[in-house]
Amino acid sequence: MRKMIMLLVVAALGVWRLWPLPEAVIPPGQALPAAQAPAALRFALLKTGAATTLEAMVVAGGSLFRPTAIGHVAVLVEHPAGRFLFDSGLGTAIDTQFDTEMAFWAKPIFAYRQVRPAVQQLREAGVAAPDRIFLSHAHWDHASALGDFPQAEVWVPDAERDTALHGRPPAFLPSQFSSPTLRWHPFRFDGPAVAGFPASLDLFGDGSVVLLPLPGHTAGSTGLLLSLADGRRYFFVGDTVWNHRGIDQPAPKFSISSLIVDADRDATWQAVLALRGLRDANPGLQIIPAHDSSVHDTLGYFPEYVTAAAR
């Protein structure tokens, strides 16, 4: 595995020179609007799997010697007016999906371990399965567990559903979308612009749970902005970046990784820069990549919830 990584890094250096990114010009961010978040709003991360790789594999300029932990999470959001999952994580059928459909050359790169499907964790805790799942995007490690929740509607933008239904490995695994009982619910961002994003979808009408478009990694990539009653704000950004260093530096993904997984590399880079500008304009905002365990660990995992502090 280490030899394969080193070969990829050497190849990436050549690709980087042939296909450089534009200059990192961070656009000025805008302040997020106020939200009327209910005190009962809370969320929890369900860790459904793990992996370890070198930092250089997940962010440009990362260390070839520093390992980094990768998490596969689903986010359970509970609002007085409804509850849902944001991403589904690795599901009960992941081993079969991965073994039979993943491209052979990609298996060592995307290997995972310690699978604990969200449906199992919820069942063990006596928590009812939600009736809606929103996907940050439909790649295999985010959509694996859709079949574990046959009662749930799967909310994605029209462009993401169309991409998923025509997608191929290694990014998409067709069996995850082949069930005739899969309950697609395509949606549009039909709400107003928010802090530089051209449109939005406010799920409960109080500004506490807002979906925002983040196209680039996939055509319909979506971010989830949560605002707790104590003023803390969290922005789940899917795979726009894989590691917090992507925002901090800012820096794109490792170039070979980006070639494999980013549908539009330039648009993804512009989304990264926009996220950095947004954070600069909103210093209390915590940006949460979908796979950065160093960030996830600070929030804790289900059955622990992140809740508003008592006033």
Side-chain angles (χ1 to χ4, degrees):
M1 179 62 179
R2 187 170 293 272
K3 288 183 178 179
M4 176 178 289
I5 290 174
M6 293 300 294
L7 288 172
L8 285 170
V9 171
V10 171
L13 293 175
V15 170
W16 195 259
R17 292 188 179 92
L18 291 172
W19 191 18
L21 282 167
E23 184 182 356
V25 178
I26 300 171
Q30 299 180 24
L32 290 166
Q36 301 298 316
L41 175 62
R42 63 180 186 170
F43 70 89
L45 304 185
L46 294 97
K47 188 172 185 176
T48 67
T52 303
T53 190
L54 296 178
E55 189 180 74
M57 291 293 291
V58 298
V59 61
S63 171
L64 283 169
F65 307 100
R66 185 184 302 124
T68 187
I70 292 171
H72 297 286
V73 298
V75 186
L76 177 64
V77 178
E78 296 186 350
H79 184 284
R83 53 203 299 275
F84 62 88
L85 285 178
F86 185 67
D87 286 335
S88 73
L90 304 185
T92 56
I94 184 57
D95 289 344
T96 299
Q97 295 167 351
F98 193 85
D99 290 346
T100 60
E101 295 181 275
M102 181 57 69
F104 75 92
W105 56 266
K107 287 181 179 179
I109 300 171
F110 297 126
Y112 57 85
R113 63 178 189 277
Q114 299 174 352
V115 175
R116 288 197 67 216
V119 68
Q120 174 188 334
Q121 295 186 50
L122 294 174
R123 187 182 302 120
E124 290 173 353
V127 175
D131 57 11
R132 288 193 292 179
I133 299 174
F134 295 84
L135 294 180
S136 66
H137 62 292
H139 281 176
W140 67 275
D141 47 337
H142 297 256
S144 170
L146 294 182
D148 294 338
F149 299 96
Q151 80 292 339
E153 292 183 337
V154 181
W155 286 55
V156 292
D158 293 281
E160 193 67 13
R161 182 191 63 171
D162 295 344
T163 299
L165 292 176
H166 296 93
R168 292 291 180 265
F172 301 92
L173 300 185
S175 69
Q176 296 175 349
F177 312 108
S178 63
S179 172
T181 62
L182 190 63
R183 302 177 62 197
W184 290 108
H185 187 112
F187 71 85
R188 296 182 180 179
F189 295 99
D190 56 7
V194 171
F197 292 88
S200 62
L201 181 62
D202 187 337
L203 294 184
F204 300 110
D206 57 14
S208 66
V209 183
V210 179
L211 298 177
L212 297 169
L214 278 174
H217 180 62
T218 64
S221 284
T222 298
L224 171 67
L225 177 65
L226 295 182
S227 302
L228 298 185
D230 59 9
R232 285 179 294 162
R233 307 188 103 159
Y234 304 87
F235 195 8
F236 295 86
V237 298
D239 285 4
T240 302
V241 292
W242 280 342
N243 186 275
H244 68 277
R245 289 190 59 188
I247 302 297
D248 296 342
Q249 291 182 357
K253 298 181 184 75
F254 171 66
S255 55
I256 293 294
S257 300
S258 182
L259 280 170
I260 294 171
V261 302
D262 287 334
D264 186 328
R265 182 170 175 260
D266 292 334
T268 304
W269 179 228
Q270 294 307 312
V272 171
L273 296 175
L275 290 174
R276 172 57 185 270
L278 181 70
R279 194 186 69 178
D280 289 348
N282 299 271
L285 176 66
Q286 185 165 1
I287 293 178
I288 306 172
H291 297 296
D292 191 343
S293 287
S294 70
V295 175
H296 302 164
D297 290 349
T298 67
L299 300 173
Y301 298 98
F302 183 83
E304 296 181 10
Y305 286 82
V306 177
T307 62
R311 294 181 176 179

